[in-house]
Amino acid sequence: MSAGTERKIRVVVAKPGLDGHDRGAKIIARALRDAGMEVIYTGLHQTPEQIVETVIQEDADAVGLSILSGAHMTLVPRVLELLREQEADDVVIMVGGTIPADDVEELKRLGVAGIFTPGASTTDAIEFIRGSVRA
């Protein structure tokens, strides 16, 4: 990289589990791309193992997990565990979707940096990533 050239923030947007609703994930992926980030969208029905493999292969700075199925307390801890095993626990983890208030603190305690529930703005997500990713 030449002097003065700044690497784009790389974000994996993933849909873990059996949830088939990807409109929100596509909206956030497009917004992040339009904000100048490099976005890798994994598509539907990804396993935690597939998501972490993509994060490692793509040298991602952040991963956004979009979960509407209610399986966040199973899927998210597994992704976090696999990232730690790969020594990639510096990757910023965000979760978007229908996350009950009772689960927010536990997810943060486990290592989720940001949680975005329905109605959160794409601007909030963009600014959160910019503020969380080490340049």
Side-chain angles (χ1 to χ4, degrees), residues 27-130:
I27 288 169
I28 194 68
R30 189 171 302 115
L32 297 175
R33 184 201 63 214
D34 291 350
M37 296 180 201
E38 189 170 337
V39 178
I40 302 93
Y41 176 62
T42 65
L44 293 169
H45 310 303
Q46 298 292 295
T47 66
E49 291 78 8
Q50 289 170 317
I51 293 165
V52 170
E53 183 176 326
T54 301
V55 168
I56 301 300
Q57 286 179 351
E58 297 292 342
D59 192 23
D61 301 299
V63 59
L65 303 172
S66 173
I67 306 173
L68 299 170
S69 66
H72 53 277
M73 295 307 290
T74 302
L75 295 167
V76 174
R78 182 69 179 141
V79 169
L80 292 164
E81 176 187 359
L82 292 167
L83 286 170
R84 279 191 291 275
E85 287 176 7
Q86 295 294 320
E87 298 178 1
D89 44 359
D90 59 332
V91 174
V92 175
I93 309 298
M94 299 155 303
V95 177
T98 50
I99 310 298
D102 291 349
D103 294 340
V104 169
E105 284 309 311
E106 178 64 12
L107 288 171
K108 287 185 175 182
R109 189 188 69 71
L110 292 171
V112 174
I115 297 176
F116 299 89
T117 53
S121 77
T122 55
T123 302
D124 289 345
I126 291 163
E127 292 307 314
F128 178 83
I129 293 170
R130 287 183 175 149

Side-chain angles (χ1 to χ4, degrees), residues 4-17:
T5 303
E6 192 175 309
R7 184 174 83 86
K8 286 184 176 185
I9 294 172
R10 296 173 63 85
V11 182
V12 169
V13 175
K15 290 289 301 178

